[in-house]
Amino acid sequence: MNSLNKYHTLIIAIAVGLGLLLGQMTAIKSFAEYLIVPFLMVMLFGLFLNIPIKNLLSSFSNHKFISANLVINFVWTPIFAYLLGLFLLKDHLSLWIGFVMLMVTPCTDWYLIFTGIAKGNTSLSAAVLPVNLILQLILLPVYLMLFFGKSGSVDTEILWESILLVLLVPFLIAQLIKYWSFKRGKSELMEKKILPFFETAQIIFLALAITAMFASQGEYLTDNLSILYILLIPILLFFLINFLISRYASFHLKFNYEDSASLSLITLARNSPIALAIALTAFPKDPLIALALVIGPLLELPILALVSQVLLRLRKSSI
């Protein structure tokens, strides 16, 4: 992963501050909301372009690891996130929905940095990214309908329209361009120029989308600063308990240090860009859902940095 992603937290924080500042200008505030989805679509296009879907089948070669990944990320985590929200966020439905959307989408890109820092098995982690990406695209709307369909907050038609617009379209375009470059003998150009550019630019387009969102809807944050405190405990509990779950699974499955570190980080890191893209299009009249998805990474990334150091300490003590 490129070095710019190491400053993911700082870039997001700057984007939030810049958006709040620009939102004070009426001329900018009035059209900023129309820039959010286009920026997110370009960001997701770059993400899909850099994920090797052709290696999808290879991700199943390590049966124990893929099984642990699938069970924790797509069975345990959705139920756990929902129950955490039920106990701690039931009086704040929008934040509950945003919290669940964040927690049910495993990260598919920059979390590899933390795996590398922790001396984990980055190759194994990278191999399972395609299956995690495909499953979260399919299952996110299923989780939303299952958990919140009866609340009246989830409009099925709008939800599927948002998925088609901000996820399926960039995904298909990315795959078509990769296929075209291969057929036209442009693979070298793709590998050396286009892919590195979009890998670096992903965080920039995400920051632009966040800036636009806070420029148009920033008053919801300034008027609801208490959401930072409301989300703090469920987010901390999620990471603490899921870390312990991953460690227990690694011990039970007899993983070596590298594989166990990879499992810990692949079951902790979350994919806020994809969840944010859906939230902004599926819930345009409920910005608190999107705000939960922006605030989440501001807390998540320092936690992942801390977890990386904890894993290194565990590695040192076991040598």
Side-chain angles (χ1 to χ4, degrees):
M1 301 300 293
N2 64 81
S3 59
L4 190 61
N5 276 323
K6 294 179 181 179
Y7 305 101
H8 195 284
T9 305
L10 177 61
I11 292 172
I12 289 179
I14 292 173
V16 171
L18 182 59
L20 291 173
L21 181 62
L22 294 175
Q24 304 305 310
M25 306 176 192
T26 305
I28 294 178
K29 181 179 179 180
S30 61
F31 71 85
E33 63 179 305
Y34 300 108
L35 300 176
I36 300 172
V37 172
F39 282 142
L40 284 171
M41 290 180 71
V42 176
M43 183 276 299
L44 290 169
F45 165 77
L47 169 62
F48 296 145
L49 202 63
N50 276 278
I51 291 181
I53 302 299
K54 63 181 180 180
N55 295 336
L56 185 61
L57 292 178
S58 67
S59 64
F60 291 94
S61 59
N62 188 323
H63 301 296
K64 289 199 299 183
F65 188 88
I66 191 65
S67 297
N69 165 62
L70 292 177
V71 171
I72 296 176
N73 269 324
F74 297 105
V75 180
W76 157 256
T77 291
I79 296 172
F80 177 48
Y82 175 78
L83 292 176
L84 267 180
L86 179 64
F87 287 109
L88 299 173
L89 299 171
K90 63 181 179 180
D91 295 327
H92 309 277
L93 181 59
S94 298
L95 298 182
W96 186 5
I97 293 174
F99 174 76
V100 169
M101 290 184 71
L102 175 65
M103 297 314 178
V104 301
T105 50
C107 185
T108 56
D109 47 27
W110 45 265
Y111 93 95
L112 288 171
I113 293 172
F114 296 107
T115 305
I117 291 173
K119 307 298 183 184
N121 190 338
T122 53
S123 297
L124 181 59
S125 295
V128 301
L129 291 188
V131 69
N132 280 1
L133 172 66
I134 297 297
L135 283 178
Q136 68 184 264
L137 296 183
I138 295 172
L139 293 176
L140 178 55
V142 175
Y143 295 140
L144 288 175
M145 294 306 302
L146 181 64
F147 295 147
F148 303 108
K150 294 182 180 179
S151 70
S153 298
V154 177
D155 187 313
T156 306
E157 184 176 346
I158 294 177
L159 177 60
W160 284 108
E161 286 177 357
S162 69
I163 291 172
L164 289 173
L165 175 63
V166 300
L167 296 181
L168 188 59
V169 171
F171 177 80
L172 291 177
I173 292 175
Q175 304 314 310
L176 287 172
I177 288 180
K178 286 199 288 188
Y179 178 78
W180 175 86
S181 68
F182 174 76
K183 286 295 184 180
R184 294 284 184 173
K186 303 291 185 180
S187 298
E188 185 175 355
L189 175 64
M190 175 67 69
E191 294 291 334
K192 293 186 177 181
K193 299 291 184 180
I194 298 176
L195 292 183
F197 168 77
F198 277 104
E199 183 180 14
T200 301
Q202 284 175 41
I203 182 59
I204 300 300
F205 285 110
L206 175 60
L208 289 172
I210 291 172
T211 299
M213 187 189 81
F214 276 90
S216 64
Q217 303 170 348
E219 71 274 8
Y220 286 95
L221 176 61
T222 55
D223 294 343
N224 297 276
L225 287 175
S226 60
I227 66 176
L228 290 168
Y229 305 104
I230 294 170
L231 287 170
L232 180 61
I233 291 181
I235 287 176
L236 290 178
L237 282 175
F238 175 87
F239 286 112
L240 174 60
I241 295 175
N242 255 26
F243 177 70
L244 295 176
I245 290 290
S246 69
R247 297 298 299 173
Y248 173 79
S250 296
F251 175 78
H252 181 71
L253 294 170
K254 296 181 172 57
F255 286 166
N256 58 29
Y257 169 80
E258 289 76 15
D259 290 359
S260 66
S262 294
L263 182 66
S264 292
L265 289 162
I266 206 168
T267 54
L268 289 181
R270 302 293 92 188
N271 199 358
S272 57
I274 283 182
L276 179 61
I278 293 177
L280 288 170
T281 49
F283 308 103
K285 296 181 181 179
D286 199 343
L288 286 181
I289 295 177
L291 285 175
L293 290 162
V294 172
I295 290 170
L298 295 177
L299 300 172
E300 171 196 356
L301 293 167
I303 291 172
L304 292 179
L306 176 62
V307 167
S308 300
Q309 296 305 312
V310 169
L311 288 169
L312 285 175
R313 292 290 184 92
L314 293 173
R315 176 176 181 262
K316 186 176 180 179
S317 63
S318 64
I319 295 177

